[in-house]
Amino acid sequence: MAIERIKLHRMALPLRSPFRTSMAVETHRDTYLVEAVTDTGISGWGECVAMDWPGYTHEYTDGAWDVTLEFLLPRLDRVRHDPNPQAVRAALDEIKGHVMAKTALSTAVLDAWLRERHQSLADFLGADKTAVDAGVSVGIPEAQSIDALMSEVAGYIDQGYKRIKLKIQPGWDVEPVRAVRSTWSTIPLQVDANQAYRRTDTALMRELDEFDLLLIEQPLPEDDWVGHVELAMSCSTPICLDESIISLGTCEAALNFGAARIINIKPGRVGGILESVDIHNMCLARDVPVWCGGMLETGIGRAANVALAAMPGFTLPGDTSASSRYFAQDITAPFELVDGQLLVPRGAGIGVDPISEVIAELTSAVAEISLTHS
Ligand code: SMG
Ligand code: MG
């Protein structure tokens, strides 16, 4: 099997409702899908999780698209006759950074490679769960209304979500957490600041200790290792890192330095599924809990996340919510909650396919590149 061509499909899916974080308000999922087409007529799929502007990390959709065309495809070309996962990883890793672009491409190739072998991604990963617990990430309501927050959270709890994550920022932290905790005294609850605090906010972070949170996610800027270590020593709530963890090496540093006790794994943020597996394995060996983050993925990215989250070390519910949490119409058959869980796809590869009519309707640009290296 060889990879014959790569097709990039750019599209923007409207979100059901705006998603507000300390960084910005998202109204659409502006992304591109990578389709890796083999000489045996198989298509494998990957999704780019960059946002349309560089506010979560430095990557953004147009930039990922460009680096793919200019730098990643020529590297993939060299291994197109034997696109095994390790060879693809080594080829793409000649390029520094651009982890989200690499992940979209390498996942599409991995999907094609697995489909050719009739093996599911979950099986390839040694995933031992058939379903994964679903958590949900709750944005900051418009005008910071506690009433709006409470009714949104109540809706998710009614649907069966097993864990609630509240997005926080200065001015929207202790009070919303107190409100949710006083109504739902036992629901697993955590917060995510997306780097919005500073070292001077330690006392405020300590106020969260009384609410029995699972974790505080990425309170400080991604490069503030010292600040995270100091905060971790000051708070009883575990610190979890998201944006700071961009590789196995940064994960090891975070654990060794004591900057985090829990790790959020997102394939797009660490450069691929294989790197995610390495991080998972290290954390499992060290008894460090991990969970699968989310980037408002369509069904394509979600399928890969759910397979990953089914690995044994993923002991906390992920930001792997049902399709209906995000979209009126997903681009695959929708992921649905079953007793607060998502079923792990077991078909070949990622186990889901895009619905061609939906893709056709949403696609705004296509790039199709034949790989020609002999
Ligand atoms: O996919 O449910 C989801 C979103 C989960 O909060 C979420 N993601 O920092 O963890 C995070 C954010 C990153 C994307 S926010 C636009
Ligand atoms: Mg986060």
Side-chain angles (χ1 to χ4, degrees):
M1 178 201 105
I3 304 294
E4 202 172 72
R5 61 204 150 87
I6 296 290
K7 236 173 134 173
L8 307 183
H9 307 254
R10 181 77 185 254
M11 61 191 69
L13 281 73
L15 292 174
R16 272 192 121 136
S17 53
F19 183 57
R20 183 184 304 269
T21 68
S22 65
M23 308 171 279
V25 187
E26 305 295 332
T27 58
H28 285 75
R29 194 34 174 131
D30 181 345
T31 183
Y32 64 83
L33 301 182
V34 180
E35 179 181 4
V37 185
T38 71
D39 58 356
T40 52
I42 289 171
S43 283
W45 295 91
E47 173 176 349
C48 180
V49 300
M51 298 283 141
D52 60 359
W53 70 294
Y56 167 73
T57 65
H58 62 278
E59 282 183 276
Y60 62 104
T61 318
D62 284 338
W65 174 285
D66 288 349
V67 82
T68 301
L69 296 180
E70 186 163 354
F71 297 105
L72 299 182
L73 291 184
R75 267 90 191 161
L76 175 66
D77 202 3
R78 293 183 200 146
V79 296
R80 75 181 193 96
H81 287 296
D82 180 17
N84 69 76
Q86 288 74 18
V88 172
R89 179 193 207 175
L92 300 187
D93 276 350
E94 281 182 20
I95 299 303
K96 299 282 183 274
H98 298 284
V99 284
M100 294 175 176
K102 286 179 188 169
T103 303
L105 181 59
S106 62
T107 305
V109 175
L110 175 62
D111 183 32
W113 188 81
L114 288 169
R115 285 177 195 248
E116 176 84 17
R117 281 161 184 68
H118 308 289
Q119 185 181 23
S120 70
L121 177 60
D123 184 62
F124 173 74
L125 295 173
D128 61 352
K129 305 184 197 96
T130 56
V132 299
D133 287 347
V136 61
S137 175
V138 185
I140 299 165
E142 172 131 47
Q144 305 201 349
S145 154
I146 295 273
D147 286 348
L149 175 75
M150 296 300 273
S151 64
E152 189 175 349
V153 171
Y156 292 136
I157 290 177
D158 284 350
Q159 289 172 48
Y161 283 102
K162 292 191 184 272
R163 179 277 273 152
I164 301 291
K165 158 168 141 180
L166 301 182
K167 288 291 193 180
I168 59 169
Q169 66 181 17
W172 179 258
D173 37 47
V174 176
E175 287 325 307
V177 171
R178 187 189 308 283
V180 170
R181 183 45 96 215
S182 55
T183 303
W184 296 281
S185 61
T186 57
I187 186 89
L189 184 62
Q190 63 193 52
V191 293
D192 184 4
N194 289 110
Q195 319 183 47
Y197 294 88
R198 296 297 173 261
R199 294 184 193 177
T200 45
D201 294 315
T202 301
L204 201 146
M205 293 289 107
R206 282 176 58 120
E207 284 184 53
L208 295 171
D209 281 344
E210 69 173 283
F211 302 112
D212 190 26
L213 302 180
L214 286 171
L215 57 90
I216 301 172
E217 183 178 346
Q218 197 69 47
L220 305 178
E222 60 173 90
D223 60 354
D224 194 0
W225 293 96
V226 174
H228 280 113
V229 171
E230 288 172 0
L231 194 59
M233 289 193 296
S234 306
C235 298
S236 60
T237 309
I239 302 298
C240 168
L241 290 179
D242 175 358
E243 289 93 317
S244 297
I245 306 299
I246 54 171
S247 59
L248 181 68
T250 45
C251 179
E252 185 180 25
L255 299 178
N256 286 6
F257 296 153
R261 278 198 272 155
I262 299 178
I263 301 295
N264 168 330
I265 301 182
K266 294 176 180 170
R269 203 200 57 234
V270 301
I273 290 187
L274 297 188
E275 191 82 7
S276 303
V277 169
D278 290 346
I279 292 174
H280 161 274
N281 293 347
M282 184 175 70
C283 290
L284 185 61
R286 298 173 64 145
D287 234 357
V288 171
V290 303
W291 56 283
C292 184
M295 293 295 293
L296 309 170
E297 287 91 346
T298 74
I300 294 295
R302 190 164 311 281
N305 284 350
V306 170
L308 186 68
M311 294 181 76
F314 285 80
T315 51
L316 292 171
D319 283 343
T320 41
S321 312
S323 297
S324 63
R325 151 76 183 81
Y326 312 93
F327 312 111
Q329 166 79 65
D330 204 338
I331 61 174
T332 62
F335 278 85
E336 284 166 356
L337 277 194
V338 182
D339 296 330
Q341 296 190 305
L342 299 185
L343 299 181
V344 179
R346 288 285 167 180
I350 61 170
V352 303
D353 286 291
I355 302 166
S356 34
E357 302 82 69
V358 179
I359 299 275
E361 197 181 305
L362 290 170
T363 301
S364 58
V366 171
E368 185 162 359
I369 298 91
S370 293
L371 300 186
T372 53
H373 196 80
S374 54

